[in-house]
Short mmCIF file of all heavy atoms in Angstrom, two decimals:
data_model
loop_
_atom_site.label_atom_id
_atom_site.label_comp_id
_atom_site.label_asym_id
_atom_site.label_seq_id
_atom_site.Cartn_x
_atom_site.Cartn_y
_atom_site.Cartn_z
N THR J 420 11.51 0.29 -17.16
CA THR J 420 11.41 0.02 -15.74
C THR J 420 10.70 -1.30 -15.51
O THR J 420 9.63 -1.54 -16.04
CB THR J 420 10.64 1.16 -15.04
OG1 THR J 420 11.32 2.39 -15.27
CG2 THR J 420 10.55 0.92 -13.56
N GLN J 421 11.31 -2.15 -14.71
CA GLN J 421 10.74 -3.46 -14.39
C GLN J 421 9.70 -3.33 -13.29
O GLN J 421 9.90 -2.58 -12.34
CB GLN J 421 11.85 -4.41 -13.94
CG GLN J 421 11.42 -5.81 -13.71
CD GLN J 421 11.02 -6.55 -14.98
OE1 GLN J 421 11.58 -6.32 -16.05
NE2 GLN J 421 10.05 -7.41 -14.86
N THR J 422 8.59 -4.04 -13.42
CA THR J 422 7.55 -4.08 -12.40
C THR J 422 7.41 -5.51 -11.90
O THR J 422 7.41 -6.45 -12.68
CB THR J 422 6.20 -3.61 -12.98
OG1 THR J 422 6.34 -2.27 -13.43
CG2 THR J 422 5.09 -3.67 -11.95
N TYR J 423 7.30 -5.66 -10.58
CA TYR J 423 7.12 -6.97 -9.97
C TYR J 423 5.83 -6.94 -9.15
O TYR J 423 5.54 -5.94 -8.50
CB TYR J 423 8.29 -7.30 -9.03
CG TYR J 423 9.63 -7.30 -9.71
CD1 TYR J 423 10.40 -6.15 -9.74
CD2 TYR J 423 10.12 -8.43 -10.35
CE1 TYR J 423 11.64 -6.13 -10.37
CE2 TYR J 423 11.35 -8.43 -10.98
CZ TYR J 423 12.10 -7.27 -10.98
OH TYR J 423 13.32 -7.26 -11.60
N LYS J 424 5.08 -8.03 -9.20
CA LYS J 424 3.84 -8.13 -8.44
C LYS J 424 3.96 -9.25 -7.42
O LYS J 424 4.63 -10.25 -7.67
CB LYS J 424 2.66 -8.39 -9.38
CG LYS J 424 2.40 -7.24 -10.33
CD LYS J 424 1.21 -7.52 -11.21
CE LYS J 424 0.99 -6.33 -12.14
NZ LYS J 424 -0.21 -6.50 -12.95
N GLY J 425 3.31 -9.07 -6.28
CA GLY J 425 3.33 -10.09 -5.25
C GLY J 425 2.07 -10.03 -4.42
O GLY J 425 1.27 -9.10 -4.53
N ALA J 426 1.90 -11.05 -3.58
CA ALA J 426 0.73 -11.11 -2.70
C ALA J 426 1.08 -11.91 -1.46
O ALA J 426 2.02 -12.70 -1.46
CB ALA J 426 -0.44 -11.76 -3.43
N CYS J 427 0.29 -11.70 -0.44
CA CYS J 427 0.44 -12.52 0.75
C CYS J 427 -0.05 -13.93 0.42
O CYS J 427 -0.62 -14.17 -0.64
CB CYS J 427 -0.35 -11.93 1.92
SG CYS J 427 -2.12 -11.93 1.68
N PHE J 428 0.15 -14.85 1.34
CA PHE J 428 -0.19 -16.25 1.10
C PHE J 428 -1.65 -16.45 0.73
O PHE J 428 -1.98 -17.21 -0.17
CB PHE J 428 0.17 -17.09 2.33
CG PHE J 428 0.05 -18.57 2.10
CD1 PHE J 428 0.96 -19.25 1.30
CD2 PHE J 428 -0.99 -19.28 2.67
CE1 PHE J 428 0.84 -20.61 1.08
CE2 PHE J 428 -1.11 -20.64 2.47
CZ PHE J 428 -0.19 -21.31 1.67
N CYS J 429 -2.56 -15.76 1.40
CA CYS J 429 -3.99 -15.96 1.11
C CYS J 429 -4.47 -15.09 -0.05
O CYS J 429 -5.58 -15.28 -0.55
CB CYS J 429 -4.84 -15.70 2.35
SG CYS J 429 -5.02 -13.96 2.79
N GLY J 430 -3.65 -14.14 -0.50
CA GLY J 430 -4.01 -13.29 -1.64
C GLY J 430 -4.78 -12.04 -1.28
O GLY J 430 -5.10 -11.24 -2.16
N ALA J 431 -5.07 -11.81 0.00
CA ALA J 431 -5.85 -10.64 0.40
C ALA J 431 -5.09 -9.34 0.16
O ALA J 431 -5.68 -8.34 -0.23
CB ALA J 431 -6.25 -10.74 1.87
N VAL J 432 -3.78 -9.36 0.39
CA VAL J 432 -2.95 -8.17 0.18
C VAL J 432 -2.13 -8.37 -1.07
O VAL J 432 -1.46 -9.40 -1.22
CB VAL J 432 -2.03 -7.89 1.39
CG1 VAL J 432 -1.15 -6.68 1.13
CG2 VAL J 432 -2.85 -7.70 2.67
N GLN J 433 -2.18 -7.41 -1.97
CA GLN J 433 -1.41 -7.48 -3.21
C GLN J 433 -0.55 -6.22 -3.32
O GLN J 433 -1.00 -5.14 -2.97
CB GLN J 433 -2.33 -7.62 -4.41
CG GLN J 433 -3.13 -8.92 -4.35
CD GLN J 433 -4.07 -9.07 -5.53
OE1 GLN J 433 -3.91 -8.44 -6.56
NE2 GLN J 433 -5.06 -9.93 -5.37
N ILE J 434 0.68 -6.41 -3.80
CA ILE J 434 1.61 -5.29 -3.94
C ILE J 434 2.22 -5.28 -5.32
O ILE J 434 2.19 -6.28 -6.04
CB ILE J 434 2.73 -5.33 -2.87
CG1 ILE J 434 3.59 -6.59 -3.04
CG2 ILE J 434 2.16 -5.22 -1.47
CD1 ILE J 434 4.88 -6.55 -2.27
N GLU J 435 2.80 -4.14 -5.64
CA GLU J 435 3.52 -3.98 -6.90
C GLU J 435 4.75 -3.13 -6.60
O GLU J 435 4.66 -2.15 -5.87
CB GLU J 435 2.59 -3.28 -7.89
CG GLU J 435 3.09 -3.25 -9.30
CD GLU J 435 2.01 -2.68 -10.22
OE1 GLU J 435 1.07 -3.42 -10.57
OE2 GLU J 435 2.12 -1.50 -10.57
N THR J 436 5.89 -3.54 -7.11
CA THR J 436 7.12 -2.77 -6.95
C THR J 436 7.65 -2.40 -8.33
O THR J 436 7.41 -3.10 -9.30
CB THR J 436 8.21 -3.55 -6.19
OG1 THR J 436 8.56 -4.70 -6.95
CG2 THR J 436 7.73 -3.96 -4.82
N THR J 437 8.36 -1.30 -8.39
CA THR J 437 8.96 -0.88 -9.66
C THR J 437 10.43 -0.56 -9.44
O THR J 437 10.84 -0.18 -8.35
CB THR J 437 8.25 0.36 -10.23
OG1 THR J 437 8.26 1.40 -9.26
CG2 THR J 437 6.81 0.06 -10.64
N GLY J 438 11.20 -0.75 -10.50
CA GLY J 438 12.62 -0.45 -10.43
C GLY J 438 13.41 -1.63 -9.93
O GLY J 438 13.05 -2.78 -10.15
N GLU J 439 14.47 -1.32 -9.20
CA GLU J 439 15.36 -2.34 -8.66
C GLU J 439 15.32 -2.31 -7.14
O GLU J 439 15.17 -1.25 -6.54
CB GLU J 439 16.79 -2.09 -9.14
CG GLU J 439 16.96 -2.19 -10.64
CD GLU J 439 16.68 -3.58 -11.17
OE1 GLU J 439 17.03 -4.57 -10.49
OE2 GLU J 439 16.10 -3.69 -12.26
N PRO J 440 15.49 -3.45 -6.49
CA PRO J 440 15.52 -3.45 -5.03
C PRO J 440 16.72 -2.68 -4.50
O PRO J 440 17.76 -2.61 -5.15
CB PRO J 440 15.60 -4.93 -4.66
CG PRO J 440 16.04 -5.64 -5.89
CD PRO J 440 15.67 -4.80 -7.05
N ALA J 441 16.57 -2.10 -3.30
CA ALA J 441 17.68 -1.39 -2.66
C ALA J 441 18.73 -2.38 -2.18
O ALA J 441 19.91 -2.07 -2.13
CB ALA J 441 17.16 -0.56 -1.49
N ALA J 442 18.29 -3.60 -1.83
CA ALA J 442 19.21 -4.64 -1.37
C ALA J 442 18.54 -6.01 -1.53
O ALA J 442 17.32 -6.10 -1.61
CB ALA J 442 19.60 -4.41 0.08
N MET J 443 19.37 -7.03 -1.59
CA MET J 443 18.89 -8.41 -1.66
C MET J 443 19.80 -9.24 -0.77
O MET J 443 20.95 -8.88 -0.54
CB MET J 443 18.97 -8.96 -3.09
CG MET J 443 18.10 -8.25 -4.09
SD MET J 443 18.22 -8.94 -5.73
CE MET J 443 19.73 -8.19 -6.32
N GLY J 444 19.28 -10.34 -0.26
CA GLY J 444 20.13 -11.16 0.58
C GLY J 444 19.50 -12.48 0.96
O GLY J 444 18.40 -12.81 0.52
N TYR J 445 20.22 -13.18 1.78
CA TYR J 445 19.77 -14.46 2.34
C TYR J 445 19.96 -14.40 3.84
O TYR J 445 20.91 -13.79 4.32
CB TYR J 445 20.60 -15.62 1.78
CG TYR J 445 20.47 -15.80 0.30
CD1 TYR J 445 21.42 -15.29 -0.57
CD2 TYR J 445 19.40 -16.51 -0.23
CE1 TYR J 445 21.32 -15.45 -1.93
CE2 TYR J 445 19.29 -16.69 -1.60
CZ TYR J 445 20.24 -16.16 -2.44
OH TYR J 445 20.12 -16.33 -3.80
N CYS J 446 19.08 -15.06 4.57
CA CYS J 446 19.23 -15.12 6.01
C CYS J 446 18.93 -16.54 6.48
O CYS J 446 18.06 -17.21 5.93
CB CYS J 446 18.29 -14.14 6.70
SG CYS J 446 18.57 -14.05 8.49
N HIS J 447 19.67 -16.97 7.48
CA HIS J 447 19.44 -18.30 8.03
C HIS J 447 19.31 -18.25 9.55
O HIS J 447 19.52 -19.25 10.24
CB HIS J 447 20.55 -19.28 7.62
CG HIS J 447 21.92 -18.80 7.96
ND1 HIS J 447 22.47 -18.98 9.20
CD2 HIS J 447 22.82 -18.12 7.22
CE1 HIS J 447 23.69 -18.44 9.21
NE2 HIS J 447 23.92 -17.91 8.03
N CYS J 448 18.92 -17.08 10.08
CA CYS J 448 18.71 -16.98 11.52
C CYS J 448 17.48 -17.81 11.92
O CYS J 448 16.67 -18.20 11.08
CB CYS J 448 18.53 -15.53 11.96
SG CYS J 448 16.92 -14.81 11.58
N ARG J 449 17.35 -18.09 13.18
CA ARG J 449 16.24 -18.92 13.68
C ARG J 449 14.88 -18.32 13.32
O ARG J 449 13.96 -19.02 12.91
CB ARG J 449 16.34 -19.08 15.18
CG ARG J 449 15.21 -19.94 15.74
CD ARG J 449 15.24 -20.04 17.23
NE ARG J 449 16.43 -20.76 17.66
CZ ARG J 449 16.79 -20.90 18.92
NH1 ARG J 449 16.06 -20.36 19.86
NH2 ARG J 449 17.87 -21.58 19.23
N SER J 450 14.74 -17.01 13.43
CA SER J 450 13.47 -16.35 13.14
C SER J 450 13.08 -16.52 11.66
O SER J 450 11.96 -16.91 11.35
CB SER J 450 13.55 -14.86 13.48
OG SER J 450 12.36 -14.21 13.17
#
Side-chain angles (χ1 to χ4, degrees):
T420 302
Q421 185 69 33
T422 299
Y423 302 92
K424 295 182 180 184
C427 65
F428 189 72
C429 74
V432 178
Q433 297 180 19
I434 63 167
E435 190 173 282
T436 62
T437 55
E439 297 296 323
M443 297 181 279
Y445 297 98
C446 186
H447 54 83
C448 76
R449 180 184 294 174
S450 178

